[in-house]
Amino acid sequence: MIQTTLKAILSVGLLSLMTPLQAQHLDSVAPDLIFDERILSKINYGLVCPSGTAKKLPAPDTHLGFITQRDQSQRIEHTTQIIPLSRGVGFGVDVQLPDGISLRGVEISVFHPPYVGTDVTEERWRSDFLPRASNLNFFLFEFPFEMVAGKWSIQASHQGTLLYSATFQVVAPSRIPNLSSYCSGALLS
């Protein structure tokens, strides 16, 4: 009885020393994945294959000045943080909000090694997060200058609060052949 009580006191004491952000770091689930569970009810991350129709939207804080928005049929196809560097393959984060919560003007940031021939290491755009909906934001390898291996991360912030941060390791397709052709049937438009 005394041993059980001491363990409980020690556990509560150690947990109280952790900051909320430390408590939300999911080392046992996925390395380099942080999310604010006070605001987000669910998070999913991984490989995305493009599908459906697409339209260009202005995004002045991106290298090309626009983002390509795809219809709502997009989803995380495979949970992973290791992504093949293949044209037509994407990776991203999808979150859900509790009922009654919506967030307008969420800033999405993608950090990456410098694009080929440039010093560009960040892309940013705004997105709205809605309740009871997929709120997927992802990066899709489409252009030759984007084809750089290394550490990439996607973050979302709202009014100065970090909602999530997920890190991905983008590697040569030969290192993960089972995922390299995962999106081979996907549309590129």
Side-chain angles (χ1 to χ4, degrees):
M1 175 74 167
I2 292 174
Q3 188 176 9
T4 303
T5 303
L6 285 175
K7 284 182 182 176
I9 291 170
L10 182 59
S11 295
V12 170
L14 288 174
L15 286 173
S16 67
L17 294 174
M18 296 175 70
T19 67
L21 204 53
Q22 287 171 319
Q24 295 155 10
H25 197 274
L26 306 175
D27 287 324
S28 62
V29 177
D32 299 324
L33 176 65
I34 300 169
F35 75 100
D36 191 334
E37 58 191 20
R38 297 169 303 166
I39 300 171
L40 306 175
S41 60
K42 185 177 179 184
I43 187 166
N44 194 7
Y45 56 89
L47 189 129
V48 177
C49 299
S51 65
T53 58
K55 63 181 176 181
K56 291 180 181 172
L57 298 176
D61 293 327
T62 62
H63 183 63
L64 294 174
F66 65 86
I67 60 170
T68 303
Q69 182 183 53
R70 298 207 169 252
D71 65 24
Q72 293 299 315
S73 65
Q74 303 302 145
R75 66 174 196 234
I76 302 293
E77 299 285 344
H78 183 75
T79 301
T80 183
Q81 285 178 276
I82 301 173
I83 305 297
L85 183 59
S86 299
R87 185 175 185 270
V89 170
F91 60 95
V93 179
D94 193 2
V95 296
Q96 290 184 357
L97 300 175
D99 285 344
I101 302 283
S102 65
L103 302 174
R104 303 287 179 191
V106 174
E107 184 175 86
I108 307 299
S109 300
V110 176
F111 300 96
H112 51 80
Y115 285 152
V116 175
T118 75
D119 59 356
V120 175
T121 59
E122 181 181 359
E123 303 281 348
R124 284 183 298 158
W125 66 89
R126 300 244 177 227
S127 182
D128 294 333
F129 286 6
L130 305 174
R132 291 180 282 148
S134 168
N135 293 291
L136 174 63
N137 280 278
F138 67 98
F139 187 91
L140 178 66
F141 291 112
E142 295 180 274
F143 303 102
F145 66 86
E146 298 170 333
M147 305 299 283
V148 289
K151 183 177 175 180
W152 290 62
S153 66
I154 300 177
Q155 295 181 356
S157 300
H158 184 255
Q159 297 178 349
T161 299
L162 180 67
L163 302 175
Y164 66 74
S165 177
T167 299
F168 299 86
Q169 192 63 36
V170 176
V171 301
S174 60
R175 290 188 53 198
I176 47 173
N178 60 321
L179 292 180
S180 295
S181 60
Y182 206 90
C183 296
S184 61
L187 301 174
L188 286 174
S189 60

